[in-house]
């Protein structure tokens, strides 16, 4: 797990089962979260087993090149990827959902943003064979603007607020390919046969920013009047750009050693 759990909780508010919070990274935790991100980032781009197979067949240089060619060069893509990694960690550590597919592994091109829902989290009640989904939008910008938050709200509200059908099918297909047939079958059943209900879905708006999300993100949170449970989290890192640059440089340096 990343050091986001050690960030200072500055604001927390609940409203009709919806939750809003702002977390600020403590200066003394900066190096810890940078090291943690360096340690986990490669797994989001390439399956560790795939790297291990390449290493055993072709050697360290080929394995390093395989991962290096997945790492984005564009600054905005790097920022967005870190946002998704942080959001995924928060989802699993703080909200109790599992994020079963690291979708960045299937990106068309390393300098292109992926389409569809940013992150989908899943909780399965094995006894009842029921499933809940978390649909998440992760926004990573040094300065948080109203337009960014409006875009996130529009994305969350698409498809009646439910996970996009193509995004769920993507998850189900990848799970089937990786051998998790039971979860793949359950997702397809609820999507194609049973149908998804509003009480099976939760939203997360997660921002990773250097600016203070207290005003604009709270305004966006208060404006929601739908019937899907909302969690809105602003993760503030004043050294936003330095963290992103340091993480990617650390990963690249490790590959070049």
């Amino acid at each position: 797990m990343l050091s986001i759990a050690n960030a200072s909780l500055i604001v927390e508010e609940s409203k009709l089962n919806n939750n809003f919070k702002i977390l600020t990274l403590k200066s003394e935790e900066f190096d810890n979260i940078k090291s943690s991100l360096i340690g986990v980032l490669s797994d989001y781009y390439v399956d560790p087993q795939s790297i291990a197979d390449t290493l055993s067949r072709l050697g360290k240089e080929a394995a390093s090149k395989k991962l290096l060619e997945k790492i984005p060069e564009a600054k905005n893509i790097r920022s967005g990827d870190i946002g998704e990694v942080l959001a995924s960690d928060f989802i699993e550590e703080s909200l109790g959902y599992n994020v079963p597919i690291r979708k960045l592994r299937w990106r068309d091109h390393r300098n292109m943003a992926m389409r569809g829902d940013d992150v989908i989290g899943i909780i399965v009640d094995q006894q009842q064979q029921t499933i809940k989904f978390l649909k998440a939008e992760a926004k990573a910008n040094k300065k948080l603007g109203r337009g960014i938050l409006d875009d996130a709200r529009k994305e969350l509200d698409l498809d009646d607020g439910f996970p996009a059908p193509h995004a769920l099918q993507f998850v189900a297909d990848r799970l089937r390919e990786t051998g998790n047939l039971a979860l793949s079958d359950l997702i397809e059943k609820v999507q194609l046969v049973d149908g998804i209900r509003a009480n099976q879905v939760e939203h997360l708006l997660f921002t990773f920013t250097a600016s203070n999300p207290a005003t604009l993100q709270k305004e966006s949170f208060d404006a929601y009047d739908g019937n899907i449970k909302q969690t809105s989290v602003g993760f503030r890192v004043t050294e936003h750009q330095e963290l992103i640059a340091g993480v990617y440089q650390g990963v690249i340096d490790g590959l070049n050693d």
Side-chain angles (χ1 to χ4, degrees), residues 165-177:
H166 68 275
L168 280 184
Q169 194 60 59
F170 176 88
V171 171
D173 288 345
R174 302 294 82 76
L175 287 168
R176 188 168 297 280
E177 290 169 0

Side-chain angles (χ1 to χ4, degrees), residues 110-140:
R110 62 178 173 175
N111 289 322
M112 291 176 60
M114 291 193 73
R115 298 179 296 276
D117 301 330
D118 285 344
V119 185
I120 293 179
I122 292 172
I123 292 178
V124 176
D125 184 327
Q126 296 291 354
Q127 199 167 33
Q128 300 295 325
Q129 280 297 286
T130 57
I131 189 167
K132 289 182 65 177
F133 300 101
L134 182 133
K135 178 180 182 179
E137 279 294 311
K139 296 297 183 185

Side-chain angles (χ1 to χ4, degrees), residues 71-256:
I71 293 174
E73 300 166 307
K75 287 184 178 180
N76 64 317
I77 302 298
R78 288 184 172 189
S79 176
D81 287 0
I82 294 293
E84 287 196 23
V85 172
L86 291 167
S88 297
D89 181 77
F90 180 83
I91 288 166
E92 294 190 327
E93 185 172 16
S94 299
L95 298 182
Y97 285 82
N98 176 39
V99 181
I101 292 297
R102 306 306 194 198
K103 73 171 193 174
L104 295 177
R105 296 177 184 176
W106 288 273
R107 173 181 273 150
D108 292 338
H109 188 282
R110 62 178 173 175
N111 289 322
M112 291 176 60
M114 291 193 73
R115 298 179 296 276
D117 301 330
D118 285 344
V119 185
I120 293 179
I122 292 172
I123 292 178
V124 176
D125 184 327
Q126 296 291 354
Q127 199 167 33
Q128 300 295 325
Q129 280 297 286
T130 57
I131 189 167
K132 289 182 65 177
F133 300 101
L134 182 133
K135 178 180 182 179
E137 279 294 311
K139 296 297 183 185
N141 291 81
K142 182 177 181 180
K143 184 176 181 180
L144 194 61
R146 186 171 281 108
I148 294 166
L149 293 165
D150 288 346
D151 287 344
R153 182 73 265 158
K154 289 175 184 175
E155 292 295 328
L156 288 170
D157 289 341
L158 285 175
D159 299 293
D160 297 321
F162 299 165
H166 68 275
L168 280 184
Q169 194 60 59
F170 176 88
V171 171
D173 288 345
R174 302 294 82 76
L175 287 168
R176 188 168 297 280
E177 290 169 0
T178 54
N180 193 340
L181 303 184
L183 184 53
S184 178
D185 289 347
L186 187 58
I187 291 171
E188 287 199 333
K189 182 175 182 291
V190 74
Q191 180 185 6
L192 303 174
V193 179
D194 300 337
I196 300 172
R197 300 182 301 275
N199 64 1
Q200 290 177 275
V201 180
E202 180 177 351
H203 288 169
L204 170 67
L205 170 56
F206 184 96
T207 66
F208 164 48
T209 180
S211 60
N212 190 344
T215 301
L216 293 180
Q217 191 163 344
K218 179 63 164 52
E219 177 186 288
S220 175
F221 173 78
D222 287 337
Y224 181 75
D225 61 358
N227 62 345
I228 294 176
K229 181 180 177 181
Q230 303 291 305
T231 299
S232 183
V233 176
F235 181 48
R236 188 183 186 190
V237 179
T238 55
E239 296 173 297
H240 181 270
Q241 298 296 295
E242 293 82 354
L243 178 61
I244 296 166
V247 168
Y248 279 95
Q249 193 58 54
V251 172
I252 292 168
D253 288 347
L255 293 175
N256 290 332

Side-chain angles (χ1 to χ4, degrees), residues 19 50 52 60 214 241:
N19 300 298
S50 176
K60 182 179 178 181
Q241 298 296 295

